[in-house]
Amino acid sequence: MGIKVNTKPFGEIEINELQIIDFPEGILGFDFIKKFIIMDAEDEGSPFKWMQAFDEKDLAFVIIRPLDFMEEYELVIAQNDLDTVKSDNIDELLVFAIVTIPENPKKMTANLQGPIIINPVKRIGKQAISLSDRYTVRHNILDEMKKHTKAGG
Amino acid sequence: MLVLARRLNESIMIGDEIEVVVIDIKGDQVKLGIKAPRKITVHRKEIYQEIKQENIAAISSDFDPNTLRDLSDLFKKDKK
C-alpha cells in the first residue's frame, strides 16, 4: 500500500515505503530531518533526482550522481561514515551530490565535499565527508561535463 | 576549555586511544598529527561549516522545480 507524502516538486503523491531512506544523523544544518525520500525527476533520462524530506514539504534537494557529470569520481570516506549506514562494502553504496542551482541555472554546482551515501539494501543514508582533497562544496557541473566531452572527443 | 602548553614533538592524549602530536610549528601555523582508531573521524572544523552552508544554499535556491526539465535537456545535448 502506498504512503501519501507532500512533496515540493510534485505536490501530494503516493510513494512506496521502499523509497524512504533513514538518515539517523540527518544532514548538516538539517539534523532534525531523519527520513528522506528519493524520487526520480519527472522526465525520463534526467540525471537529476529529488531528495525530499519526509515530513517537510518545502525541504527538497536536487541531487545527481557524480558519474553523471564527471568522467572519474572516487568516494573516499572514513570508516565511521560506512558504519553509520551499516555497510562494510563501499562499492555497494549509492552516491549522490547535492546540487545548488543559482539564479543562472547554467552555473549550478554539485557538492562533492559532503557526498550523500545510501546503503540501498538497508535503506540508511548519511551525508559523508570526503577525505579527498580533490573535492569541494562547489563543482561547476557544466564545466566538469565540458572537460569530459573534450577528453572523450 | 582546557588549555595545555606543548612544545614541538610533544603530544596530548584524549582518552586512552587518541593522541595529538605537535609535528611542526612555522609562524602562526601548527601542524598536528592525530593518531586515533578508525572509528573516530577527524576533520577540519571549517569543513563542517562549509557543507552546512552549502546545504542551506541548495535549499534556499529560488529555482522553480518545473524548470528542472530544461536543465535535464542540457545533459542530453552534451551527451555524445
Side-chain angles (χ1 to χ4, degrees):
Chain A
M1 214 180 70
I3 299 165
K4 284 197 174 128
V5 190
N6 254 320
T7 69
K8 181 176 176 180
F10 312 126
E12 191 183 82
I13 58 163
E14 216 167 88
I15 58 149
N16 185 315
E17 73 173 327
L18 295 176
Q19 283 173 274
I20 304 174
I21 313 289
D22 280 322
F23 278 71
E25 298 174 4
I27 67 169
L28 286 166
F30 300 92
D31 51 5
F32 53 96
I33 307 281
K34 306 293 190 195
K35 283 177 198 291
F36 283 94
I37 306 155
I38 307 295
M39 308 183 291
D40 287 330
E42 225 171 352
D43 46 331
E44 232 175 281
S46 168
F48 298 108
K49 289 182 187 294
W50 288 97
M51 188 169 112
Q52 168 75 51
F54 185 68
D55 302 317
E56 295 277 344
K57 177 179 188 280
D58 291 329
L59 277 182
F61 295 95
V62 174
I63 56 174
I64 189 169
R65 288 184 311 185
L67 284 175
D68 277 336
F69 67 95
M70 300 176 92
E71 193 162 32
E72 202 185 304
Y73 171 76
E74 191 187 10
L75 180 67
V76 188
I77 53 173
Q79 180 64 36
N80 175 47
D81 288 335
L82 275 174
D83 292 346
T84 305
V85 297
K86 298 204 165 86
S87 171
D88 49 18
N89 176 11
I90 198 166
D91 295 326
E92 77 171 358
L93 301 179
L94 300 176
V95 184
F96 296 102
I98 295 180
V99 180
T100 303
I101 304 173
E103 214 171 316
N104 176 358
K106 292 194 171 172
K107 290 190 174 155
M108 63 185 163
T109 55
N111 180 353
L112 297 177
Q113 178 73 71
I116 302 292
I117 57 170
I118 294 173
N119 176 339
V121 181
K122 301 207 164 110
R123 301 201 306 278
I124 307 173
K126 179 181 187 181
Q127 185 163 38
I129 296 182
S130 170
L131 297 176
S132 165
D133 54 12
R134 285 155 67 191
Y135 302 131
T136 69
V137 291
R138 287 196 175 184
H139 289 257
N140 185 301
I141 291 179
L142 295 184
D143 284 354
E144 291 286 349
M145 280 181 22
K146 273 179 214 146
K147 269 189 223 165
H148 81 85
T149 41
K150 251 181 225 159
Chain B
M1 191 195 292
L2 172 68
V3 179
L4 298 168
R6 299 276 66 193
R7 294 177 199 283
L8 194 62
N9 296 323
E10 290 184 344
S11 60
I12 61 162
M13 294 296 298
I14 301 172
D16 300 332
E17 292 184 310
I18 303 171
E19 182 178 6
V20 182
V21 195
V22 180
I23 287 180
D24 194 18
I25 307 170
K26 270 196 194 114
D28 62 356
Q29 200 180 47
V30 180
K31 206 172 267 181
L32 301 173
I34 295 144
K35 287 183 212 161
R38 271 155 55 95
K39 63 175 193 274
I40 305 286
T41 41
V42 181
H43 299 287
R44 290 179 294 119
K45 184 179 176 184
E46 303 92 274
I47 296 269
Y48 287 91
Q49 204 53 37
E50 282 171 22
I51 294 176
K52 184 174 166 180
Q53 275 166 5
E54 197 54 33
N55 285 346
I56 292 169
I59 213 79
S60 329
S61 154
D62 283 334
F63 128 92
D64 173 359
N66 293 317
T67 58
L68 194 59
R69 184 183 291 268
D70 304 336
L71 290 183
S72 305
D73 288 344
L74 290 171
F75 285 77
K76 285 164 200 159
K77 228 181 289 164
D78 280 30
K79 271 206 174 131
K80 36 192 156 155

